[in-house]
Amino acid sequence: MIKAKGYAAQSAKSNLAPWNFQRREVGPHDVQFDILFCGVCHSDLHQVKDEWGGSIFPMVPGHELVGKVIKVGEHVKKYKAGDLVGVGCMVDSCRTCDNCKEGLEQFCSNGNIMTYNGYEKDKKTPTYGGYSNTIVVNEDFVLRVSEKLNLAAVAPLLCAGITTYSPLRHWKVGKGHKLGVVGLGGLGHMAVKFGASFGAEVTVLSSSAKKKEDAFKLGAHKFVVTSDEEQFKNVTGYFDFILDTVSAKHDYNSYLTLLKANGVHICVGAPPAPAEISAFNLIMQRRSLAGSLIGGIPETQEMLDYCAEHNIVSEIELIDIKDINTAYERMLKSDVRYRFVIDIATL
Ligand code: NAP
Ligand code: ZN
Ligand code: ZN
């Protein structure tokens, strides 16, 4: 076994603290890389606090990993020592179901293996994420990362990036479309960058006016303060698509009224509590309420390559790992500009 160190939560009530654990030896198809940076996703916080239920402890969170390959197994073809690589939310899947065969491993019918808060194929060894110094992953779930971009700012692309890129591609959002992005946090700011890059008119819908200037810098064309009734009413029936990244309970009904006929409200934010929807808000203008989960491995590589080509990275605040608990507190107050990234060298 390989000795590893990281930060873990021992229970849903405990803060993250240093913890030593073990990784599997590098198998014939495995890549081992030293983690250099790891992004901090709001999903880490939901799972550490067991807000979605079923959390496995001790938990080493982190599913936005980038680093440098140090060792590869004898059958590994794609990578060699020294390569820059990344890993997102998944480290394996069944590979045989229809979804896996289509490159939609996130929808694996037999359950994919999540980077942390999951179990390996033996169904009993827990997986541990990227708030740690090293990891061993099957080469097919390792992504290639460009040498051209700021590596720390690439890390969030592995979840926040693909989670917003994928639905915008699926619904073919682009020129001629009006896109609303609800919530300007880690996911939201990437949605603004991709939406603008794909040619859509992007409006940020934010709970306060605090992030207005930033929104325009990120590429947004309009800004709506959702707590301002007048501003909210002004965009009734306005959008073709809304990408909803809000992490806490909110009323989907009011946002549905902002869609045109045939408009689609896409949920990527995953508030723990269920919501009530009035059927009339869907019926009246043939609107749809949809959802989207990260993206498959081929599309994640496509997104990383697109970002390298178009010089797209995340806006980050680099933190020491000892400050992770404070970062969580700030994330809960919507005070992230716009993704915390842990400098793993501080571990
Ligand atoms: P984040 O950085 O904390 O951003 C969430 C944003 O939502 C906040 O910055 C805030 O934006 C807004 N918000 C928060 N609480 C709100 C409230 N009570 N009412 C209205 N707006 C509120 O979080 P994130 O990392 O982007 O993640 C967002 C959500 O997506 C989380 O639930 C996460 O678990 C989920 N997620 C889903 C997937 C997927 O595959 N579907 C992948 C990753 C993450 P403003 O300040 O602009 O209002
Ligand atoms: Zn995430
Ligand atoms: Zn599968």
Side-chain angles (χ1 to χ4, degrees):
M1 298 294 270
I2 296 167
K3 280 189 182 159
K5 57 180 180 173
Y7 261 55
Q10 298 297 327
S11 79
K13 297 238 172 332
S14 55
N15 273 341
L16 290 162
W19 188 59
N20 293 323
F21 62 103
Q22 293 188 323
R23 302 278 192 195
R24 68 167 183 264
E25 287 294 342
V26 179
H29 298 278
D30 286 339
V31 169
Q32 183 187 3
F33 66 94
D34 279 348
I35 302 165
L36 298 174
F37 300 102
C38 185
V40 178
C41 181
H42 205 114
S43 303
D44 298 346
L45 203 160
H46 287 311
Q47 292 174 93
V48 161
K49 297 200 182 301
D50 198 14
E51 290 174 354
W52 293 337
S55 282
I56 303 162
F57 295 99
M59 183 190 296
V60 178
H63 57 209
E64 295 182 336
L65 299 63
V66 291
K68 202 170 243 183
V69 175
I70 60 160
K71 194 174 176 186
V72 299
E74 51 181 327
H75 296 314
V76 169
K77 292 190 189 78
K78 294 184 215 157
Y79 302 101
K80 59 178 190 319
D83 286 353
L84 288 184
V85 293
V87 160
C89 299
M90 303 177 283
V91 287
D92 215 333
S93 70
C94 86
R95 299 160 184 247
T96 55
C97 73
D98 288 348
N99 290 330
C100 282
K101 281 192 205 148
E102 267 189 68
L104 298 170
E105 301 88 350
Q106 74 274 37
F107 305 132
C108 175
S109 312
N110 298 307
N112 54 47
I113 301 178
M114 303 304 277
T115 305
Y116 71 89
N117 197 22
Y119 291 105
E120 299 280 3
K121 284 210 158 135
D122 64 6
K123 296 197 179 348
K124 57 177 200 256
T125 310
T127 55
Y128 299 118
Y131 298 5
S132 63
N133 63 333
T134 195
I135 193 166
V136 178
V137 179
N138 184 289
E139 70 166 326
D140 294 333
F141 282 74
V142 174
L143 286 310
R144 188 168 293 283
V145 165
S146 165
E147 312 247 340
K148 284 199 306 201
L149 302 172
N150 171 9
L151 191 62
V154 166
L157 300 178
L158 276 308
C159 175
I162 185 60
T163 301
T164 49
Y165 181 94
S166 182
L168 295 179
R169 285 307 199 206
H170 177 77
W171 275 280
K172 301 184 169 53
V173 178
K175 247 197 173 82
H177 289 139
K178 293 187 164 72
L179 168 69
V181 175
V182 190
L184 196 63
L187 266 56
H189 92 289
M190 290 312 304
V192 172
K193 289 194 178 202
F194 287 132
S197 177
F198 299 166
E201 183 206 274
V202 182
T203 302
V204 168
L205 297 121
S206 189
S207 50
S208 76
K210 288 183 213 157
K211 300 174 182 172
K212 187 170 181 173
E213 249 180 68
D214 289 350
F216 291 120
K217 277 192 213 143
L218 292 164
H221 306 93
K222 293 187 175 179
F223 191 91
V224 170
V225 179
T226 53
S227 53
D228 182 325
E229 246 175 77
E230 181 92 18
Q231 285 190 36
F232 201 84
K233 261 203 185 140
N234 273 339
V235 282
T236 300
Y238 186 78
F239 298 106
D240 299 282
F241 299 96
I242 290 177
L243 195 66
D244 181 337
T245 75
V246 175
S247 50
K249 191 167 186 186
H250 57 294
D251 184 15
Y252 295 98
N253 294 291
S254 55
Y255 291 102
L256 286 169
T257 65
L258 305 186
L259 291 170
K260 290 179 184 167
N262 301 316
V264 187
H265 183 106
I266 307 157
C267 301
V268 286
E276 231 169 59
I277 308 290
S278 162
F280 285 96
N281 287 327
L282 302 171
I283 291 168
M284 296 313 276
Q285 297 287 322
R286 198 164 57 194
R287 299 174 178 121
S288 306
L289 180 62
S292 188
L293 175 69
I294 47 173
I297 295 298
E299 194 177 40
T300 305
Q301 190 62 63
E302 176 192 305
M303 178 273 311
L304 287 168
D305 296 345
Y306 182 89
C307 288
E309 193 183 329
H310 296 266
N311 207 18
I312 294 174
V313 288
S314 186
E315 303 303 310
I316 64 160
E317 187 174 329
L318 199 61
I319 60 165
D320 285 9
I321 198 159
K322 67 172 170 39
D323 297 325
I324 185 65
N325 297 300
T326 318
Y328 278 7
E329 280 165 29
R330 283 183 53 196
M331 188 149 66
L332 274 177
K333 292 186 211 142
S334 301
D335 179 25
V336 188
R337 309 290 169 96
Y338 280 86
R339 194 58 140 189
F340 291 117
V341 172
I342 303 168
D343 182 354
I344 298 296
T346 63
L347 182 66

